[in-house]
Amino acid sequence: MGKTILVLGGGIGGINTAKELNRKIGNEDGINLARILVFEKDEKNVFGPSLTWLMVGKREMEEVYRETKDAEIGGIEIILGDIESVDPENISVTSGGKKYKGDYMVVSLGVEQSSEYHLGLLGHNFYTLEGAASFYDDLKEFKGGKITIVVPSLPYKSPVAPYEATMLVENYIREHGLRDKTEIALYTPESEPMPFAGQEISENVKELMKSKGVQYKPNHQLVSGSDKTLVFKTDSEGRKEVDFSLMAYTPKHECPSVIKDTGLVGESGWIEVDRKTMETDFSNVYAIGDITAIRLDSGETLPKAGVFAQYQGHIVAHNIARDISGKSPDEIFEGEGEYILELGGDKAQKIKGNFYETDVDAKKSSMIRHWEKVLFEKSWFIKNF
């Protein structure tokens, strides 16, 4: 057996890194030139982009996840369970009381989610399988009133998700003849939608929500919540109470606690990497995806989106494979990416470009974009599980 690569996290970034490493290194049935260990705590591997479909009944629960162990093939071993400690200096991980030593490490642990302001008792965390499904259970019984989507804190991953969820819910309400009986509002501390994509994209998303009659409430910082009431702080109105009938929310996102005392975390509270190579300050240790903080030329931070984790994982895998074979790394991440914003009615919009340079465009809304997202979902499961 040759080198050992430790991949921390089995989400989009981690799985993509492991699969790409397996291919690049030349692992085949019965021929394993390297050992690739993927550490993941969850037995169900949920495809996050599908959760907004789940919350409006466009997917069943079993359609949006696979068993994590099913990603295991020759050369790739899945280690299920909590990671107890990480030592980047010695490239080692302890999980299930056992220490694993590697030659390379790729940290792709994403974010640690928690509920703030008692939101877990008041509404539905649609960033989880159970929360998206329970929201739909309540939505099916909804007869009219106020539906609220809340972003309680920044940053959060999947930056299109609150906007997408709001528009999909609006479409559901319209299709079920409840639009004239329902107010739909999105509250967020952001000053505008997706500021990292530039002013043109932000204005475009605001216009989309306005055309659907959605109340968009930026600069609203949640400060407390109680039964059917939320309290926000705003610059213009001060303290503001809002009542609701049905509510979905994004959870608080933090750097995973197991990483905080490893020396990997910078002043941002996240792992700060070379934005071209995804290298950390530790030799042969990389970090990708949501756990990183990458500053853009505009001063904003690269959004925490699965598509970037996927691209970064591809580049890291390529460069590790070259290093193992005695060649110099020759690929860099240049900030290119794209994501699809579902609008309802089987229509979607693609937002694509170079996020490092804020050279980003929104493609015209169409059914083709919607089916692109469907194809991505299906191909992800087929290729990896």
Side-chain angles (χ1 to χ4, degrees):
M1 182 65 70
K3 302 293 186 180
T4 297
I5 303 108
L6 309 178
V7 179
L8 281 55
I12 288 177
I15 292 294
N16 185 70
T17 302
K19 296 285 184 173
E20 191 68 15
L21 276 167
N22 216 38
R23 187 175 69 85
K24 292 281 187 180
I25 290 171
N27 283 351
E28 296 177 354
D29 291 340
I31 305 175
N32 296 330
L33 303 178
R35 187 184 184 203
I36 303 165
L37 304 181
V38 179
F39 298 82
E40 173 55 46
K41 61 183 176 60
D42 293 324
E43 294 183 6
K44 288 185 173 67
N45 199 288
V46 177
F47 187 66
S50 298
L51 290 175
T52 51
W53 283 331
L54 179 61
M55 68 188 295
V56 294
K58 296 293 185 180
R59 292 290 184 276
E60 300 290 336
M61 282 186 70
E62 60 272 15
E63 292 181 294
V64 302
Y65 75 88
R66 298 292 184 271
E67 297 298 324
T68 301
K69 270 286 189 181
D70 288 346
E72 202 169 56
I73 59 174
I76 298 177
E77 182 181 350
I78 306 292
I79 312 295
L80 285 176
D82 290 327
I83 294 174
E84 288 134 24
S85 66
V86 176
D87 182 352
E89 186 171 0
N90 294 299
I91 311 184
S92 68
V93 175
T94 301
S95 178
K98 182 178 178 179
K99 186 175 182 179
Y100 299 84
K101 182 76 173 68
D103 300 287
Y104 300 86
M105 177 186 290
V106 183
V107 184
S108 184
L109 287 172
V111 303
E112 199 165 80
Q113 297 187 21
S114 62
S115 179
E116 304 174 274
Y117 310 111
H118 308 293
L119 293 181
L121 301 174
L122 307 175
H124 306 269
N125 174 4
F126 70 98
Y127 276 55
T128 67
L129 190 66
E130 296 77 16
S134 63
F135 178 85
Y136 180 57
D137 288 341
D138 282 358
L139 185 63
K140 286 186 292 185
E141 304 301 321
F142 184 78
K143 303 302 180 186
K146 296 182 179 180
I147 299 179
T148 301
I149 310 294
V150 182
V151 177
S153 59
L154 305 174
Y156 61 91
K157 67 176 184 175
S158 303
V160 302
Y163 301 93
E164 181 170 279
T166 303
M167 287 189 275
L168 287 175
V169 168
E170 192 279 336
N171 185 76
Y172 177 95
I173 291 299
R174 187 178 298 279
E175 288 182 342
H176 286 76
L178 296 169
R179 195 63 187 92
D180 60 346
K181 301 177 182 178
T182 306
E183 292 181 14
I184 303 172
L186 170 60
Y187 292 86
T188 176
E190 298 165 294
S191 59
E192 57 188 356
M194 297 172 260
F196 51 80
Q199 190 64 39
E200 184 178 345
I201 301 298
S202 293
E203 291 298 326
N204 175 262
V205 175
K206 282 192 283 188
E207 285 300 316
L208 284 169
M209 290 189 290
K210 184 179 179 181
S211 70
K212 293 175 176 290
V214 170
Q215 299 178 28
Y216 175 58
K217 302 292 185 179
N219 299 308
H220 278 63
Q221 179 62 62
L222 185 67
V223 295
S224 67
S226 58
D227 188 37
K228 302 302 181 186
T229 303
L230 300 172
V231 180
F232 295 91
K233 179 182 177 182
T234 71
D235 293 336
S236 58
E237 301 174 75
R239 186 177 184 275
K240 179 178 179 181
E241 288 192 8
V242 173
D243 61 323
F244 64 90
S245 310
L246 177 59
M247 185 261 291
Y249 67 92
T250 67
K252 183 177 182 179
H253 289 56
E254 294 182 292
C255 183
S257 53
V258 72
I259 293 295
K260 288 183 178 178
D261 297 322
T262 60
L264 284 166
V265 177
E267 292 183 4
S268 64
W270 303 88
I271 299 179
E272 294 168 5
V273 296
D274 182 304
R275 75 178 201 169
K276 292 184 177 180
T277 65
M278 311 311 293
E279 294 172 295
T280 70
D281 291 336
F282 294 89
S283 179
N284 291 342
V285 177
Y286 303 79
I288 63 172
D290 297 345
I291 201 169
T292 65
I294 298 176
R295 184 68 61 182
L296 303 181
D297 294 345
S298 65
E300 297 287 343
T301 301
L302 187 73
K304 297 182 183 301
V307 64
F308 296 117
Q310 186 176 13
Y311 291 163
Q312 292 162 359
H314 176 96
I315 287 163
V316 167
H318 173 86
N319 289 338
I320 288 175
R322 284 184 64 86
D323 192 61
I324 288 174
S325 64
K327 300 176 182 178
S328 298
D330 64 354
E331 285 194 4
I332 61 173
F333 178 63
E334 298 182 295
E336 295 284 342
E338 61 187 50
Y339 50 86
I340 293 175
L341 173 64
E342 285 283 303
L343 307 178
D346 291 341
K347 288 187 177 181
Q349 185 176 72
K350 179 185 284 188
I351 298 169
K352 180 179 181 179
N354 188 307
F355 287 78
Y356 279 177
E357 300 174 2
T358 322
D359 182 16
V360 183
D361 294 319
K363 306 302 180 184
K364 187 177 179 181
S365 304
S366 69
M367 292 185 70
I368 293 174
R369 308 304 176 197
H370 164 74
W371 286 107
E372 275 189 57
K373 183 173 178 178
V374 172
L375 180 61
F376 177 49
E377 174 196 53
K378 303 306 179 189
S379 64
W380 171 256
F381 287 132
I382 291 170
K383 288 192 300 184
N384 296 298
F385 298 92

